[in-house]
Amino acid sequence: MTERRAVGVSRVLIEERVLQERIREIAAQLDRAYGDDVPLMVGVLTGAVAFMTDLMRAMTIPVHIDFMAVSSYGASTKSSGVVRILKDLNEEISGRRIIVVEDIVDSGLTLQYLLDVLGRRNPLDLRVVALLQKEKADAIPVQVDHVGFTIPDEFVVGYGLDYAGAYRNLPFVAILDPAAAGIG
Ligand code: IMP
């Protein structure tokens, strides 16, 4: 972290090497799960971009990719409780095998909404991969088939995750220090 400008980050939670190792494990599980089928990976913009691009390249089976954007927290660290589609898929998903790739499951609201929307389009099956899931007693119980890491209920940034648009290009996951980030 010393050679990077990461003002507002209080400590590294998951180092780059550890992230990449775990991604290779999940990629191997996905390779085995689909065999000769070609799944469509659906990345949830914008936070899942880093994870999705590393995950798909760690996989050895052919995949197709598409992206969907849903409303997120904006410049806040709390969910508004309302989810809506900002960008829909380009691809039809009926009859196809879908892998939803999420950055983080917090309240579970976003994923619940996405699974509902995608499920109505009659995919052959839907699998969910989330890089991070917060330990939260009051989270909505929602389908997550592969979790990279379970983390404490703190606001994290890096590796695709942002606070007000910043920190996405950090190659590690770190805990945001609200005071140093100017929000405490
Ligand atoms: P949920 O709907 O509460 O599960 O939140 C899911 C979305 O909120 C994620 O896809 C992220 O975009 C965002 N989010 C939740 N927690 C964090 C965090 O700690 N850091 C950055 N973004 C987060």
Side-chain angles (χ1 to χ4, degrees):
M1 203 166 99
T2 45
E3 69 280 0
R4 288 203 163 241
R5 283 191 300 131
V7 177
V9 158
S10 65
R11 76 182 168 89
V12 175
L13 187 66
I14 311 168
E15 284 173 28
E16 184 175 6
R17 181 186 50 79
V18 178
L19 276 175
Q20 296 301 332
E21 233 171 68
R22 183 72 185 115
I23 288 167
R24 282 194 292 274
E25 286 173 6
I26 297 172
Q29 290 170 353
L30 294 173
D31 280 349
R32 284 195 294 275
Y34 291 94
D36 289 336
D37 294 342
V38 179
L40 175 69
M41 297 176 79
V42 171
V44 185
L45 294 172
T46 305
V49 161
F51 178 42
M52 170 104 155
T53 54
D54 281 343
L55 182 65
M56 71 183 193
R57 285 177 297 173
M59 290 169 70
T60 59
I61 60 167
V63 299
H64 289 190
I65 67 166
D66 201 349
F67 291 95
M68 201 158 170
V70 290
S71 55
S72 73
Y73 298 179
S76 157
T77 57
K78 289 273 182 305
S79 171
S80 62
V82 180
V83 186
R84 62 196 173 88
I85 297 177
L86 302 177
K87 181 222 170 287
D88 209 335
L89 297 172
N90 297 329
E91 301 274 328
E92 292 293 328
I93 65 166
S94 168
R96 300 177 74 176
R97 306 194 71 183
I98 308 301
I99 306 175
V100 175
V101 182
E102 251 288 29
D103 50 359
I104 185 165
V105 181
D106 183 3
S107 68
L109 196 75
T110 306
L111 194 52
Q112 185 190 48
Y113 173 81
L114 269 174
L115 290 176
D116 183 50
V117 167
L118 298 178
R120 286 169 201 264
R121 298 180 187 178
N122 300 315
L124 185 62
D125 59 20
L126 267 174
R127 179 184 292 258
V128 179
V129 184
L131 180 67
L132 308 172
Q133 183 163 28
K134 287 191 191 172
E135 256 169 2
K136 239 183 163 135
D138 58 352
I140 299 167
V142 68
Q143 174 195 349
V144 189
D145 303 284
H146 305 259
V147 177
F149 303 87
T150 302
I151 62 165
D153 187 11
E154 300 210 46
F155 198 82
V156 291
V157 293
Y159 198 67
L161 292 158
D162 77 312
Y163 170 68
Y167 307 110
R168 287 199 202 273
N169 67 318
L170 295 176
F172 48 78
V173 174
I175 294 181
L176 186 71
D177 176 352
I183 52 175

